[in-house]
Amino acid sequence: MPGRRRWALWVLLVALLAGLLSTLVWLAGRYESSQVQSRLEQDAVQTAADIRAALTRNIQRFQVLPAHSASPDAWRLSVSELLREHREIMRLEWRDAALGTVASADTPYRTSVFARLGRKNAQADVSLACAAARRFSGPAYSTSFFLPQSDGLGLEMLDMCLPVPAAGRPAGYLVVTYSLQDILSELVGKQMGRGRSLAFTEVDGTRLAMYGNPAHGSRAYVVQQLLDLPGNTLVLRLESRRGTPALFPNLLTALVTAMSMALVAVLALLGRDMRRRLKVEHDLADALAFRKAMEDSLVTGMRARDLQGRVTYVNPAFCQMVGFEAKELLHHGMPPPYWPPEQVEEYGQRQANRLAVGATLPREGFESVFMRRDGSRFPVLIIDAPLINALGKQTGWMSAILDVSEQRRIEELSRASQDRLQATARLATVGEMASLLSHELNQPLAAISSYATGALNLLQSAAADAQQPDNSEDMQRAMRRIAEQAERAGKVIKSVHDFVRRRDQVREPIAPRRLLDAVMPLVSLQARKLAVRVLIQVDASCGPVLCDRTMVEQVLLNLARNGMQAMQGPDKSRRAEKVLTLRVRPAASNAHSRWVEFAVIDQGEGISEQVAQQLFMPFFTTKAEGMGLGLSLCRTVIEQHGGLLGFEAVLPHGTIFTFTLPVAATAAEPE
Ligand code: ADP
């Protein structure tokens, strides 16, 4: 798992870095300590050399002391100055060849060191030293010895024996007793720095004499140096507290530590940055996954193309739509496999145009035809948008593609059913008309029959009585009446025939007046039955309208019929006269309007709020014999012409239904 491995790597990195840094700090500290140590060692060597040199200088002083020829008093006098100058010398003895004391002198700074224990105790050391001195023919030192003092403390002493020759053979010895303590303080102590202590120790570390403050604790530097003296070897121990390794012994360590801390800080910052990066990466992956899921679940086909028109991306919906696989579509080159071969040229041209247009594309898209893998064609709606990259530069086109074949099929179906519905409505109207027709035809037929009877009577009476004056004039009149009535009946029948006959749906320019004339015979049929007077007002400035006249005539007829029926309410006694007005005028106030407004105004009971809400719903009717299709069809027809159908109340009572039709451009109306 990459996450866990990344963690392990991080832990390893941090551990390595921590190890490296602590090693570095430790090494720097050690380097610092070793520096101090070696300095101390040099100092120790120097100190030992200093002591030895001082002791040698002392011996030179002893050798110039007056020889044994002098009297003990004279000798004592001559050494008294020496003792005053050299505080480290406790006692000087002049001994003869058999080591018997001839004369002695004590340091003036103390009471005699041998006062408490006597000189005899150290006799063995003295004789050993002098034996060695005799062997060396030079100075020799005894081993050190402890002398308790009267003040309760004690001093570590060292004897030195110097043979004093007389006439070539040893005639006696000069025995010098040194205090180790004072050797340290007098010979080298002065130049020793603070924080150090100097001591003589035995080989096992037991301290014999010391100068300076002893260093405590484990952090002291200690150096031991052997001080070789003839006959004796002393251990010199130098301790230093100065430069005791603190947390940061020096600049180097501090620097290394500071750099390490900076490194750790940088590492922490890097870690934080990495964490942020990871989070962003994670979010990005989420967003990508979301986008992918979205694209895959889309039913809209998506297609991206580069600026040359080559497909660079397709989603599963698009692949499914055209039946090709994504890899077949990508980088296929031109033309893409879903272009119908017969359209390739046209589509190529269209694409070239689009590229030339740049980023200003219609948002509503355009329709086209694509080909499936099996060769079948299907209509699509394509909405193109420029593909802009993060730098704001256009890199291609993104298209959403909708398969609209189903939509087209439904539209086709609904158009067919609409047509059927209209035909049905027309037949229904005709059915309604049939009763009116029979009523209307009754009159001319009755007239014809009565004229015919009259004519027959005339003929019979003429045959019976030949002397009768000529009645051919009456006959002619009767025949003319018969012809008139027959013509009238014929007109009635023709008007119905004209209406019912289904003509091609063609839009033609037609004068509004002619539309009214066409429906007038039928309107007046009903008007006469319902005792309604029909008024016609046509504005002379109205030009021809562009419409399917059959349809619009039916609309006019429907509205007129509705208006007349609305005036048949129970309160008809209220008005002496019922008037239906058919009015035509330009839609807007100016005469050059592009629209003509038709209005059908009645004085009926009006339309209640409740009825108004459902008025245009198919099959809504308030009449016992009504179909409720009239108004819904009227509106469809008018909207198909691009016009609007609406209604308003007329005061004090009545309703006005209006609709608009477009003016035919300049085409002259055919007669
Ligand atoms: P139908 O005439 O077959 O009832 P329509 O769609 O033509 O169907 O009319 C629907 C209803 O609208 C009518 O039943 C009537 O109630 C109401 N209506 C239509 N025109 C008018 C009008 N001019 N005045 C009052 N009511 C009307």
Side-chain angles (χ1 to χ4, degrees):
M1 187 188 266
R4 197 177 294 165
R5 217 177 59 199
R6 193 179 302 127
W7 264 113
L9 279 177
W10 268 105
V11 168
L12 195 69
L13 178 67
V14 169
L16 276 178
L17 208 72
L20 185 77
L21 294 184
S22 39
T23 314
L24 224 88
V25 172
W26 179 73
L27 279 178
R30 253 192 57 153
Y31 173 71
E32 159 77 356
S33 314
S34 72
Q35 289 283 88
V36 175
Q37 184 85 23
S38 65
R39 219 167 28 246
L40 205 63
E41 271 162 16
Q42 280 170 15
D43 287 357
V45 170
Q46 187 61 46
T47 308
D50 286 353
I51 293 175
R52 204 180 295 116
L55 291 178
T56 312
R57 269 199 309 279
N58 281 0
I59 289 166
Q60 285 162 3
R61 280 290 305 268
F62 301 144
Q63 281 167 343
V64 297
L65 279 179
H68 284 173
S69 50
S71 72
D73 283 338
W75 180 84
R76 235 178 257 120
L77 198 69
S78 65
V79 298
S80 65
E81 193 189 344
L82 185 73
L83 283 172
R84 253 199 315 279
E85 279 174 24
H86 292 274
R87 279 169 168 259
E88 71 275 15
I89 301 173
M90 294 290 112
R91 183 183 171 93
L92 282 171
E93 288 171 355
W94 174 12
R95 299 209 178 195
D96 56 20
L99 290 179
T101 306
V102 180
S104 70
D106 281 308
T107 178
Y109 301 106
R110 291 176 182 273
T111 50
S112 172
V113 287
F114 294 103
R116 195 153 168 248
L117 224 61
R119 188 64 174 117
K120 286 282 181 303
N121 275 342
Q123 193 53 45
D125 289 323
V126 173
S127 32
L128 270 176
C130 286
R134 221 178 12 254
R135 255 198 331 277
F136 299 155
S137 311
Y141 292 82
S142 72
T143 53
S144 65
F145 54 92
F146 186 72
L147 266 190
Q149 295 298 297
S150 47
D151 56 1
L153 298 170
L155 282 174
E156 192 75 20
M157 297 297 175
L158 182 72
D159 279 341
M160 192 273 285
C161 187
L162 181 69
V164 183
R169 48 183 297 268
Y173 301 94
L174 181 70
V175 176
V176 184
T177 306
Y178 283 108
S179 151
L180 288 184
Q181 172 83 51
D182 289 301
I183 288 180
L184 294 179
S185 59
E186 294 304 316
L187 300 188
V188 288
K190 308 257 166 22
Q191 67 244 26
M192 203 173 62
R194 278 180 54 217
R196 285 184 171 189
S197 71
L198 198 58
F200 284 115
T201 64
E202 285 183 6
V203 185
D204 64 358
T206 315
R207 207 176 269 143
L208 300 176
M210 192 181 74
Y211 176 77
N213 291 324
H216 292 293
S218 56
R219 278 189 179 167
Y221 293 96
V222 177
V223 170
Q224 298 203 344
Q225 176 67 36
L226 291 181
L227 178 62
D228 253 330
L229 295 175
N232 190 8
T233 298
L234 288 168
V235 180
L236 190 65
R237 178 187 167 103
L238 184 60
E239 287 185 23
S240 169
R241 255 178 326 172
R242 193 180 57 181
T244 300
L247 189 56
F248 303 119
N250 67 354
L251 194 66
L252 177 71
T253 321
L255 210 70
V256 168
T257 311
M259 267 159 58
S260 310
M261 274 156 63
L263 203 65
V264 167
V266 168
L267 201 70
L269 283 178
L270 262 178
R272 209 177 59 178
D273 183 59
M274 188 71 121
R275 244 193 345 269
R276 277 206 202 126
R277 235 163 233 271
L278 269 180
K279 191 175 159 339
V280 169
E281 227 171 66
H282 200 258
D283 289 355
L284 214 68
D286 271 359
L288 264 180
F290 174 69
R291 215 192 73 176
K292 177 114 183 61
M294 213 167 65
E295 284 167 3
D296 291 353
S297 66
L298 265 186
V299 287
T300 313
M302 305 286 287
R303 169 192 69 177
R305 287 178 300 169
D306 62 14
L307 286 174
Q308 280 71 47
R310 285 183 302 252
V311 177
T312 53
Y313 165 82
V314 284
N315 74 341
F318 184 76
C319 294
Q320 211 175 352
M321 207 180 278
V322 293
F324 288 99
E325 287 191 14
K327 58 174 180 287
E328 292 177 275
L329 294 172
L330 296 179
H331 315 297
H332 180 279
M334 297 303 286
Y338 50 81
W339 280 10
E342 69 277 9
Q343 308 272 43
V344 164
E345 203 169 313
E346 184 195 329
Y347 285 11
Q349 191 59 44
R350 197 171 63 191
Q351 185 161 303
N353 286 346
R354 189 137 1 99
L355 292 182
V357 168
T360 55
L361 272 180
R363 295 294 292 172
E364 63 273 11
F366 58 93
E367 286 203 18
S368 184
V369 173
F370 278 0
M371 184 177 74
R372 297 196 184 91
R373 184 197 271 281
D374 60 14
S376 56
R377 320 293 204 254
F378 65 105
V380 287
L381 179 71
I382 305 177
I383 301 158
D384 268 336
L387 205 59
I388 310 286
N389 70 3
L391 301 173
K393 194 167 162 280
Q394 183 179 359
T395 56
W397 300 92
M398 189 77 208
S399 328
I401 291 138
L402 284 171
D403 182 349
V404 290
S405 35
E406 186 61 12
Q407 207 174 320
R408 287 285 161 281
R409 202 175 63 83
I410 291 172
E411 273 171 22
E412 199 53 51
L413 270 183
S414 85
R415 193 161 31 239
S417 65
Q418 182 83 24
D419 285 356
R420 267 203 302 280
L421 208 60
Q422 278 183 8
T424 317
R426 204 190 311 268
L427 286 179
T429 316
V430 170
E432 208 176 294
M433 295 282 160
S435 65
L436 284 176
L437 261 182
S438 61
H439 171 79
E440 187 65 24
L441 287 178
N442 250 355
Q443 275 188 346
L445 287 179
I448 287 172
S449 115
S450 56
Y451 282 127
T453 316
L456 265 181
N457 286 343
L458 276 178
L459 282 177
Q460 278 171 359
S461 60
D465 186 359
Q467 275 78 49
Q468 277 259 312
D470 184 24
N471 59 0
S472 61
E473 217 171 288
D474 291 340
M475 275 296 287
Q476 273 179 17
R477 206 181 307 131
M479 285 304 159
R480 230 180 286 129
R481 291 279 184 276
I482 288 175
E484 274 174 15
Q485 291 302 322
E487 194 182 341
R488 185 179 151 201
K491 265 191 188 154
V492 170
I493 288 173
K494 182 170 179 293
S495 70
V496 175
H497 177 255
D498 273 359
F499 181 74
V500 175
R501 196 184 60 191
R502 198 163 193 281
R503 289 169 309 181
D504 292 340
Q505 293 186 5
V506 279
R507 302 238 170 125
E508 52 188 333
I510 184 161
R513 179 82 222 191
R514 286 190 28 150
L515 285 172
L516 294 186
D517 286 348
V519 290
M520 265 326 278
L522 292 174
V523 170
S524 36
L525 263 183
Q526 198 166 23
R528 217 165 302 141
K529 183 180 168 203
L530 298 177
V532 172
R533 193 158 69 86
V534 180
L535 265 183
I536 293 187
Q537 303 171 351
V538 180
D539 192 312
S541 68
C542 282
V545 290
L546 187 68
C547 67
D548 177 342
R549 64 182 288 186
T550 326
M551 299 279 222
V552 175
E553 280 166 17
Q554 196 178 349
V555 171
L556 275 171
L557 192 66
N558 251 322
L559 295 180
R561 199 194 49 187
N562 275 350
M564 287 187 287
Q565 284 172 347
M567 288 188 280
Q568 303 308 307
D571 57 347
K572 57 184 168 191
S573 55
R574 199 179 48 186
R575 270 164 274 133
E577 202 181 23
K578 293 177 278 189
V579 181
L580 180 80
T581 313
L582 302 180
R583 189 184 71 195
V584 184
R585 62 178 191 191
S589 47
N590 63 343
H592 303 295
S593 168
R594 290 184 53 240
W595 296 90
V596 172
E597 181 198 77
F598 290 74
V600 179
I601 307 156
D602 68 59
Q603 299 171 340
E605 72 258 41
I607 296 178
S608 71
E609 185 67 28
Q610 204 185 355
V611 172
Q613 278 175 10
Q614 317 180 53
L615 203 59
F616 293 105
M617 276 174 30
F619 305 111
F620 170 77
T621 180
T622 57
K623 299 165 198 164
E625 76 288 6
M627 286 242 322
L629 277 172
L631 284 179
S632 88
L633 282 173
C634 288
R635 184 146 86 168
T636 316
V637 167
I638 296 305
E639 284 174 0
Q640 274 174 0
H641 282 80
L644 287 173
L645 175 71
F647 67 92
E648 268 173 60
V650 178
L651 291 175
H653 38 71
T655 316
I656 170 169
F657 272 86
T658 55
F659 65 87
T660 50
L661 286 176
V663 171
T666 47
E669 187 207 347
E671 265 309 310

